Amino acid sequence: MTDQTIKERKMLLQEVEGLLSLITLPILVVDTTGVVIHANPAAEHVWQRSQVVLLNQTLQTLVGTPKLLEYVKKGKPLRDFSVELIDGGGKRHAYLCRLHPLFVERSVAGAILQFTIQIKEADSEKSRKFVTRYNFEDIRGHSPAILALKDQARQIARSDSTVLIRGESGTGKEVLAQSIHRNSDRKDGPFVAINCAAIPEALLESELFGYEDGAFTGAKKGGKPGRFELALHGTLFLDEIGDMPQYLQAKLLRVLQERRMERVGGSESIPVDVRLIAATHKDLESMIVSGQFREDLFYRLNVIPLFVPPLRHRKEDLYDLIQFYLKWFGDRLGKDPKRFSTQAMKCFMDYHWPGNIRELENTLEYIVNLEIGDLVTISSLPSTIRGKQTTDEGSSLPLHSFPPTYPSAEKREVFSERILEQTEEQLIIDAVQRYGKNTEGKRKAAEYLGISVATLYRRLQKINRKG
């Protein structure tokens, strides 16, 4: 063998190793005895061992499927062969193996093994569409209304009875529906949601009940299952049920009564095994009077009625919600932790929150994005929220009535101090009453007010001297 040939072989080997290192899937090169002679960087992450450690390991220690070594020895190509990989901690993981045999002078010399994570098609579809993300722990708050709602929902979760969730937009009706599913006997089945207001009337029927081949122009060949079929052994969530057209209300009523359905364009009666949860923000009773909603369907849906209170009726939960979303958006956006000034917190407490939790979430994301410092002040708030500032006497001072500009920073500071002095006494009293007069309660009150514990004690002493 000439020096030139040796040089060319070394170059070829380096090229092959370089190509293997660029592949993001784990790859092993083994000889006929199953000894690893090469491993790419991706294999390090799967087996939790360095490339140096992987070299000279045997397939028996890395793959818990003995039959794979037999195929290596036979030089038999494989595609999507199910194997179990054993990581550094001894845990087993389901993978699919692709085997490409290596031959030298027509004799088997080893094999290249490529591994991909094994995901069943049904599980993949389910993980993409039909799993829940929320549980009761995600319904945050300790107000009496929320605690009572969660207790009632937990109590009926294991039942198969139909649930009607009512509440304003943005209150978290789907979060509650998913939580009920997660705690039901159907939790291992799919959670299929459909918004009746978001789908055109002409398509809603086929989306709910599916259709047969040739049912209408443009129908998918072979037909398509509807949401009732996709939710088999699980939960079907009909959001905005008040927007369902009347002709579909009649068909839905029959399905609920008979527990069977037919696809659009079909004649076969298909059994329905789902738990139905519906939700709406509309006044269904008024719609019944005006003839927009069927009374008999209402009673079929309203077996277990649940009401999600608006945020303005559970202001005592605001502090916990604000702290949660500040941290959540801070972590997600890579921003420093932030805290609210007393005036900013009071603006949040005074605001009526027509968009409920959704509006609160969007507002806090806005603040985390735009606030440079760690203290959120009134100027950091959106104009809709800082539009009014309430004093402890109950009067409202619209911000547009404030002087638009001040001659100096000193006057601005004096003005802010005057407003703070007017409000802080009542805020401190309310905070201490809420969190308690013990040491821990005063610590939480100080955190809520955005001041130090020492400052809180000084203010309390001043208030006590006045009393």
Side-chain angles (χ1 to χ4, degrees), residues 101 112 176 188 227 322 421 432 444:
I112 300 175
L176 180 61
D188 295 326
R227 302 301 174 98
I322 290 170
E421 287 174 357
V432 172
K444 289 183 177 180

Side-chain angles (χ1 to χ4, degrees), residues 118-167:
Q118 182 176 3
I119 301 177
K120 294 181 181 178
E121 185 176 352
D123 291 342
S124 176
E125 179 72 8
K126 183 179 177 182
S127 65
R128 187 170 64 89
K129 285 185 177 180
F130 302 138
V131 296
T132 55
R133 294 183 296 148
Y134 302 108
N135 208 335
F136 285 120
E137 290 72 24
D138 296 301
I139 304 175
R140 289 173 175 81
H142 296 89
S143 60
I146 284 296
L147 292 177
L149 175 65
K150 290 166 71 172
D151 287 344
Q152 187 178 7
R154 284 193 180 96
Q155 187 176 350
I156 59 91
R158 298 179 69 89
S159 167
D160 255 1
S161 299
T162 304
V163 179
L164 179 60
I165 303 175
R166 308 178 73 174

